[in-house]
Amino acid sequence: PGRDPLPADYHEVVLGRYDPAWVTQARKRVASARDSWSAVAGGELHRLSGLNEQFTLVAESLRRLVPGGDGLGDALTRVAAAVVQSAAAPEPALAMEVATSVLYLEAALEDGAFDQPGQAERVKRLAQRIEAVRAGAAPEALEPWMEELYRRVSDRQTLGSVVHELRGALSESEKLIDQFFRAPADPSVLIPVPGQLQAMRGVLSVLGLEQATQAVLRMREDVDALIAAGAQAEQQLTLFDRLAGNLSALSFLIDLLGVQPQVVKAMFRFDPAGGLLRSVLGQPSARGGAAAQIDLGQSEADDFQSTAIEAVALDE
């Protein structure tokens, strides 16, 4: 005879723990808050009026469904209230951190993982990350459990929110880099950029965009070198050329990510020697140089060309 089976706990309720209507309602609330947050972060300030109510409803669902969800619900409502009061778009680092937490909630609800063991500690960690960034701390790398869930549950609708935040963070970094090169005597304007790039790098890594991740890492190294104020004028120009080229390529990558996420991985290559991210479509760099072409089979090249045409058409 084998071992005796573990005794069952007949008092534990395993079915009907949550009303399915609550879960459906929570998904809708999170999706609505996600869309509004992305819009506000992108500068659509007319969407501010509904932000408080939407995040209050998300907080209500968190308290009802997620163990320990009160803390995260409170953190989200505080951020929403502060952004509404400021009547301005949130800082890119905060916009990314909130979007990341909302993305996690959406994935957990979709995956049915919202009431699993350990979830209370995870939502507590999400709340801590939001509060830290709101207080001015630099964004931290994504937790392994966040990456695991994102990879398991990824759909086009969820990706759209991430694309908005990536575009906003890239735009802010580009603005500060341009401001520095107009007045290179003051490298302090670049201080927020490494944190913004770190946040972007974490999200790009989760999406499996390894080539873009390497490019962002090189960009961060270049910005750190400029902040250190040890670069000579000639070296500064070299770094600027490289930063401009990578900003241009990343902008193109993010735009395509919004319309053809399934093929973006194959459309860009990072050149470690030159430190540049290049498009296989040969997009010109921001300073007028043509990016090097990468050899492709004819059918693959045709597919990429069709994708680019579709992206432009949808963007228009």
Side-chain angles (χ1 to χ4, degrees):
R3 295 180 179 178
D4 292 336
L6 293 174
D9 183 356
Y10 294 103
H11 296 287
E12 180 184 6
V13 178
V14 294
L15 296 176
R17 188 180 302 171
Y18 297 106
D19 187 335
W22 293 356
V23 180
T24 301
Q25 181 186 62
R27 288 174 180 164
K28 291 179 179 178
R29 288 175 171 180
V30 170
S32 179
R34 175 205 66 206
D35 290 344
S36 292
W37 181 259
S38 294
V40 169
E44 298 180 31
L45 300 185
H46 63 279
R47 301 283 293 271
L48 277 171
S49 58
L51 210 60
N52 276 330
E53 180 182 0
Q54 288 169 332
F55 275 94
T56 297
L57 292 174
V58 168
E60 180 185 304
S61 290
L62 280 171
R63 295 185 185 99
R64 178 181 286 174
L65 294 175
V66 182
D70 301 60
L72 180 56
D74 291 343
L76 290 170
T77 52
R78 280 194 291 268
V79 167
V83 170
V84 170
Q85 185 175 8
S86 72
E91 292 295 320
L94 183 60
M96 185 71 76
E97 196 65 49
V98 171
T100 300
S101 293
V102 172
L103 174 61
Y104 179 82
L105 288 177
E106 194 165 29
L109 288 166
E110 183 68 26
D111 202 35
F114 56 88
D115 63 341
Q116 290 180 359
Q119 199 64 252
E121 189 60 34
R122 292 179 176 182
V123 296
K124 178 181 177 182
R125 181 73 185 111
L126 291 173
Q128 291 172 343
R129 289 170 60 101
I130 290 173
E131 294 291 2
V133 172
R134 186 173 169 227
E140 297 182 46
L142 293 175
E143 317 282 344
W145 45 268
M146 295 166 70
E147 296 186 12
E148 179 186 356
L149 185 60
Y150 293 157
R151 289 193 175 103
R152 215 164 57 235
V153 182
S154 176
D155 58 37
R156 183 71 172 276
Q157 187 179 26
T158 297
L159 185 61
S161 174
V162 179
V163 169
H164 278 292
E165 306 311 329
L166 283 172
R167 189 177 286 124
L170 182 67
S171 176
E172 182 66 19
S173 295
E174 185 174 14
K175 181 179 71 175
L176 294 174
I177 291 169
D178 181 68
Q179 184 178 341
F180 167 73
F181 279 100
R182 292 177 186 275
D186 181 18
S188 64
V189 298
L190 292 174
I191 290 175
V193 176
Q196 294 166 358
L197 293 174
Q198 175 64 23
M200 289 180 59
R201 183 186 172 207
V203 175
L204 291 167
S205 176
V206 166
L207 296 174
L209 298 170
E210 182 59 30
Q211 304 297 312
T213 301
Q214 293 180 44
V216 172
L217 177 60
R218 177 60 65 87
M219 291 171 68
R220 180 172 180 177
E221 292 172 353
D222 288 345
V223 171
D224 284 339
L226 292 170
I227 292 175
Q232 300 299 318
E234 183 177 346
Q235 185 185 6
Q236 283 188 346
L237 184 59
T238 300
L239 294 176
F240 174 63
D241 283 342
R242 190 156 64 202
L243 283 168
N246 281 328
L247 284 167
S248 177
L250 279 172
S251 179
F252 183 43
L253 180 149
I254 292 169
D255 285 343
L256 288 181
L257 184 63
V259 294
Q260 286 288 351
Q262 67 274 19
V263 297
V264 167
K265 291 180 186 179
M267 293 179 68
F268 292 84
R269 296 289 185 273
F270 179 71
D271 171 23
L276 283 170
L277 181 68
R278 302 185 187 277
S279 163
V280 299
L281 295 177
Q283 292 296 305
S285 73
R287 292 182 66 84
Q293 291 285 352
I294 295 178
D295 291 335
L296 297 168
Q298 185 59 47
S299 61
E300 190 177 12
D302 291 342
D303 288 342
F304 290 152
Q305 188 66 38
S306 297
T307 297
I309 293 172
E310 180 181 348
V312 171
L314 288 175
D315 190 52
E316 292 176 352

